[in-house]
Amino acid sequence: MPGMVAFGRRWGIASDDLVFPGCFELFFRVLWWIGTMILFTYHKGNFDCNGRGVLHSYLVGLLVVLALIILSLCATVYVSAQGTITNPGPRRSMPALVYLRALLYIPELVWACLGAVWVSDDSKGCDPATVGAVIAAVIASWVILLFTAIGVVFVFDPLGNPRPRPAAMEPLGVRDLQSSEGTQFFSTARSLAVKVWENRLRLMCCCLPQDESHRAAFSSISQLLSGFFSDTDLVPSDIAAGLALLHQEQDKMEQSRDPDVTVDHSPSSPIGEDLETELEKAAHCMRFAAAAYGWPLYIYSNLFTGPCKLSGDCCRSHAAEYDIVGGDHLGCHFSSILHSTGLQYRDFIHVSFHNQIYEIPFFVALDHKREAVLVAVRGTLSLKDVLTDLSAECENLPIEGVTGACYAHKGICQAAGYIYKKLVNDGILNQAFSIAPEYKLVITGHSLGAGTASLLAILLRNSFPTLQCYSFSPPGGLLSKALADYSKDFVVSVVLGKDLVPRLSMPNMEDLKRRILKIVSNCNKPKVNSFKHTILDIFYHRITSRVFSLCVLQYRILLQGCWYELFGGDPDDFPTEMDNRREEELSQPLLGEESLIIRHSSSYQSLASDDSPAHTAAHLPLFLPGRILHITEDGPSRRSCFSQVRYRADWSNEMAFRSVLISPRMLADHMPDAVLRALNSLTSDRPFPFCPSSLNNSQHNTI
């Protein structure tokens, strides 16, 4: 639902988000009140020590303040539990309760100061247990005040001025967007949003030099982020609830889908190069792509043996034996590359750990096993790499011989241009081929390195017609359709499971945002509800106190979503609120859905028409590079933690990755060690768990 408006501004928290915090504080306050009452009753209000009058007043006042706070928390929890996500009407009194709770912090602060003064000046001669109890109460008060201040900082929205809404009798956005006043307001709000995001990026990257290139990157990224988040009025808990519901909805759709028809040969692959051959090549290249990450990934993958192996090699100088540039003063990165690849010092032509925005590390080596000059590009491992990733605007990339619109991801395009200049202008490739003129050129990388490797291969294709590129978990928003089709002759992309990154593109993110809006708007249950059909029912029916009954009220959607993510289950047991609605009803814009839209941007279209021009025109479409090899787990999606995983490999196409899939493994499947483990499993198992051939060689499996 929209963020709660209090103290004249909108906050990054909804009025139904106060149940969990309220229950937790309520439980703590009740215990505190009981302990204070026991202490006061035990001494019968008479304390035989200095400052007993102050102590008596402190305890009586503390009991009163705690009682008032407990009553306000009970009211807050009860009201916050009412209504639904898009129906905040029953919670209209929440701002008044927030004001009341804020006022109660004043006497609590005063009494905390009074207790601190008593402990420091008048506690001599008092019972040590009494003094300890007062000290604990004072510390608890200050801790609560501190955490409250931290919470206010977290939910503070710099763009939180109350946003005007259009008149009820007019179509949404017509009056504001067609008037100069409304246009000026949204233009000012957009400029403010860009400045806020720039400040956030500068704060997050305060350790980076604030030069012109970084400022330009901050500006470009902030415009992208502000445009994406500025047209909706959702708080983080709404997004979490929407993701949980969307995951269950996607799993139900996947279970009801007919088995896909797959092929074990790519129609565009050369004759004789089948799936098994490509997998063996990919598994070999993935070792180099993972090695490019240096010692962090090597230690992560070899927790017990890695430190011992590297300890003897770090700080040892081999500068005379290979060309190394920047960032590896102790030699640990290069030592881990040697251990990961099995190559010798003399096999490396150039190793660069230089890292700036749009300039990422890479190395060039002679792979004698495959008779190749191999270029491996590192993926994201620093804040500078993250800025390169987030520079997601499109940049023209004209390629000789390619017809159609040629453009690519700006940050990755510039990173590929940087490595291209190094390889060609600095003579690195000439040096390599002068040593092994009969070798072919192979380029590889993972994640950011995969996208850079693919663009680098496109740039070098005319000079090296036989080159090959193996791109592991590349970003989804990478190439225009023309460049993606052009790269299918020499690029193979490998995607594991439900990896998020190959599905990341601005159109896909806009699609995810609209789907979250739709599923949240169609939800007719509150985030907060009795968590029936669970073990909480046992406690609910046995506890008679209304206060404690409120405490067992839970975020039904969020808790069921967490349970589903951790322990699985049948998605039909976790209804997504849309099951009982007719399809024609869902095709109409909902009042709840419209209430979550601050303004109608070109990126938003009612989910009645996902393929409408408004849906596709907001951002230029970008696709994965080359032929796509999709690896999935063979068997049930939920399995024991100790069961052995088996994989299957299918040829796929770019249309299978046009939407984001919500899954607990959406990040884990992107990790380079997971991709390498899956490829090694496929190439070491016999027989290979490939999909059976199909008579229809033109059809690919899609998600």
Side-chain angles (χ1 to χ4, degrees):
M1 64 157 290
M4 184 169 57
V5 177
F7 301 102
R9 67 180 305 107
R10 175 192 177 276
W11 297 82
I13 188 172
S15 59
D16 58 352
D17 285 339
L18 300 178
V19 176
F20 270 158
C23 284
F24 179 79
E25 185 180 356
L26 181 60
F27 177 76
F28 178 77
R29 296 282 187 177
V30 169
L31 292 181
W32 188 357
W33 188 89
I34 293 173
T36 305
M37 178 60 73
I38 291 174
L39 177 64
F40 187 82
T41 304
Y42 176 77
H43 289 280
K44 298 180 181 180
N46 297 317
F47 300 94
D48 187 16
C49 62
N50 297 331
R52 53 182 174 270
V54 176
L55 178 59
H56 184 277
S57 301
Y58 171 77
L59 291 178
V60 172
L62 183 60
L63 287 172
V64 173
V65 171
L66 287 176
L68 292 174
I69 292 175
I70 289 171
L71 291 175
S72 70
L73 288 174
C74 289
T76 299
V77 171
Y78 176 78
V79 174
S80 184
Q82 306 305 307
T84 63
I85 295 179
T86 54
N87 179 27
R91 301 188 296 271
R92 66 176 66 90
S93 59
M94 276 305 303
L97 292 174
V98 170
Y99 297 147
L100 174 61
R101 182 65 188 90
L103 284 176
L104 290 176
Y105 279 113
I106 297 176
E108 183 173 16
L109 176 62
V110 172
W111 248 249
C113 295
L114 179 62
V117 170
W118 181 85
V119 169
S120 61
D121 296 339
D122 301 325
S123 61
K124 295 180 181 179
C126 287
D127 181 17
T130 301
V131 176
V134 174
I135 292 175
V138 171
I139 293 176
S141 295
W142 287 111
V143 168
I144 289 177
L145 291 170
L146 175 62
F147 275 95
T148 300
I150 294 174
V152 169
V153 171
F154 271 99
V155 301
F156 178 78
D157 185 358
L159 304 174
N161 292 328
R163 286 137 178 176
R165 296 287 179 181
M169 300 301 295
E170 293 181 292
L172 183 68
V174 170
R175 185 179 66 178
D176 283 340
L177 293 180
Q178 289 184 350
S179 67
S180 59
E181 181 181 354
T183 303
Q184 182 179 4
F185 169 80
F186 286 120
S187 176
T188 304
R190 180 64 182 271
S191 300
L192 178 60
V194 171
K195 292 181 180 179
V196 168
W197 279 104
E198 281 190 28
N199 293 332
R200 288 172 176 171
L201 290 172
R202 289 195 180 97
L203 181 61
M204 292 173 57
C205 306
C206 58
C207 57
L208 300 181
Q210 302 295 316
D211 55 19
E212 186 62 32
S213 62
H214 285 85
R215 285 194 294 269
F218 290 155
S219 177
S220 174
I221 296 170
S222 61
Q223 290 180 12
L224 181 71
L225 295 176
S226 64
F228 181 75
F229 289 107
S230 64
D231 59 349
T232 58
D233 197 1
L234 292 173
V235 297
S237 63
D238 296 333
I239 298 174
L243 291 175
L245 292 172
L246 186 58
H247 178 206
Q248 296 159 30
E249 186 72 15
Q250 288 176 344
D251 280 359
K252 282 195 290 187
M253 293 175 61
E254 185 175 352
Q255 290 181 8
S256 63
R257 184 182 294 113
D258 294 331
D260 296 316
V261 180
T262 60
V263 296
D264 63 347
H265 291 74
S266 170
S268 59
S269 62
I271 297 176
E273 290 192 350
D274 57 10
L275 189 57
E276 180 178 339
T277 302
E278 291 289 6
L279 278 171
E280 290 177 346
K281 292 180 180 179
H284 179 76
C285 289
M286 183 60 206
R287 291 171 51 204
F288 293 88
Y293 283 96
W295 68 264
L297 181 61
Y298 184 78
I299 296 294
Y300 174 78
S301 303
N302 304 273
L303 290 176
F304 298 105
T305 61
C308 296
K309 291 181 179 179
L310 291 184
S311 60
D313 295 331
C314 293
C315 305
R316 186 181 301 172
S317 176
H318 298 282
E321 301 181 48
Y322 58 91
D323 181 15
I324 187 167
V325 177
D328 192 29
H329 304 295
L330 298 179
C332 295
H333 280 305
F334 186 68
S335 297
S336 66
I337 293 176
L338 291 175
H339 286 290
S340 299
T341 61
L343 299 182
Q344 304 297 318
Y345 294 108
R346 60 179 178 272
D347 296 328
F348 288 86
I349 306 299
H350 182 84
V351 182
S352 172
F353 296 105
H354 170 76
N355 191 200
Q356 291 293 334
I357 185 171
Y358 307 139
E359 300 175 2
I360 57 180
F362 69 99
F363 67 82
V364 181
L366 298 178
D367 179 12
H368 301 294
K369 182 178 180 179
R370 296 285 179 173
E371 296 185 346
V373 173
L374 193 140
V375 180
V377 187
R378 196 191 75 181
T380 302
L381 199 63
S382 69
L383 278 175
K384 300 166 186 175
D385 298 333
V386 172
L387 294 178
T388 301
D389 287 320
L390 291 177
S391 299
E393 297 177 347
C394 292
E395 182 169 279
N396 289 328
L397 185 67
I399 299 296
E400 183 180 354
V402 180
T403 58
C406 295
Y407 52 87
H409 183 289
K410 175 184 175 181
I412 299 177
C413 188
Q414 295 197 20
Y418 159 76
I419 297 179
Y420 175 84
K421 293 176 182 178
K422 290 289 184 181
L423 295 178
V424 176
N425 297 349
D426 293 357
I428 297 174
L429 288 182
N430 289 336
Q431 179 184 354
F433 282 106
S434 66
I435 299 174
E438 72 281 5
Y439 283 12
K440 61 184 178 183
L441 179 62
V442 176
I443 307 174
T444 189
H446 172 268
S447 189
L448 170 62
T452 306
S454 301
L455 284 171
L456 181 61
I458 291 174
L459 294 174
L460 292 170
R461 170 69 169 175
N462 290 331
S463 300
F464 300 90
T466 62
L467 73 77
Q468 289 182 305
C469 175
Y470 288 88
S471 173
F472 302 97
S473 307
L478 186 63
L479 301 174
S480 66
K481 181 62 174 175
L483 288 178
D485 291 340
Y486 172 70
S487 65
K488 289 182 178 180
D489 291 333
F490 53 91
V491 177
V492 173
S493 292
V494 178
V495 178
L496 175 62
K498 296 184 178 180
D499 187 354
L500 171 66
V501 173
R503 296 173 171 85
L504 275 184
S505 65
M506 288 309 299
N508 285 2
M509 292 304 295
E510 292 289 351
D511 173 75
L512 176 65
K513 180 172 68 175
R514 287 196 315 276
R515 291 182 184 278
I516 289 176
L517 284 170
K518 177 180 179 179
I519 205 164
V520 167
S521 301
N522 280 278
C523 179
N524 56 18
K525 294 179 182 178
K527 283 179 283 186
V528 187
N529 205 340
S530 299
F531 193 17
K532 297 181 180 179
H533 311 299
T534 67
I535 196 170
L536 292 180
D537 261 348
I538 299 173
F539 298 99
Y540 181 82
H541 291 298
R542 290 184 180 179
I543 297 175
T544 58
S545 170
R546 181 59 180 167
V547 172
F548 289 97
S549 296
L550 286 172
C551 289
V552 299
L553 290 172
Q554 302 291 342
Y555 283 70
R556 180 175 182 179
I557 299 172
L558 295 178
L559 284 182
Q560 288 185 338
C562 291
W563 181 275
Y564 185 76
E565 301 297 334
L566 293 174
F567 304 107
D570 187 348
D572 289 332
D573 295 335
F574 304 92
T576 60
E577 319 306 333
M578 295 198 297
D579 300 333
N580 299 325
R581 292 180 179 266
R582 298 191 305 273
E583 189 67 27
E584 58 269 19
E585 290 177 343
L586 296 182
S587 66
Q588 301 299 323
L590 298 176
L591 178 61
E593 184 179 352
E594 300 291 356
S595 70
L596 299 175
I597 307 301
I598 297 172
R599 61 180 175 82
H600 272 265
S601 67
S602 59
S603 63
Y604 179 79
Q605 176 80 3
S606 178
L607 281 155
S609 178
D610 286 344
D611 298 325
S612 62
H615 174 40
T616 57
H619 299 280
L620 293 174
L622 294 170
F623 302 90
L624 287 170
R627 294 171 287 143
I628 303 171
L629 190 57
H630 191 202
I631 300 174
T632 56
E633 291 187 10
D634 193 16
S637 58
R638 302 286 181 173
R639 55 181 175 79
S640 169
C641 297
F642 303 100
S643 61
Q644 185 178 3
V645 184
R646 291 181 62 86
Y647 298 93
R648 55 182 284 174
D650 313 321
W651 288 111
S652 186
N653 60 37
E654 61 272 11
M655 299 308 293
F657 302 91
R658 62 181 177 178
S659 63
V660 176
L661 298 182
I662 310 301
S663 168
R665 296 200 56 83
M666 60 195 300
L667 296 179
D669 283 346
H670 183 69
M671 296 299 292
D673 60 309
V675 179
L676 180 59
R677 183 167 55 249
L679 286 168
N680 287 337
S681 175
L682 283 169
T683 54
S684 61
D685 290 347
R686 294 294 186 271
F688 287 92
F690 302 139
C691 297
S693 300
S694 170
L695 296 177
N696 183 3
N697 290 337
S698 63
Q699 188 170 2
H700 288 208
N701 67 311
T702 58
I703 297 176

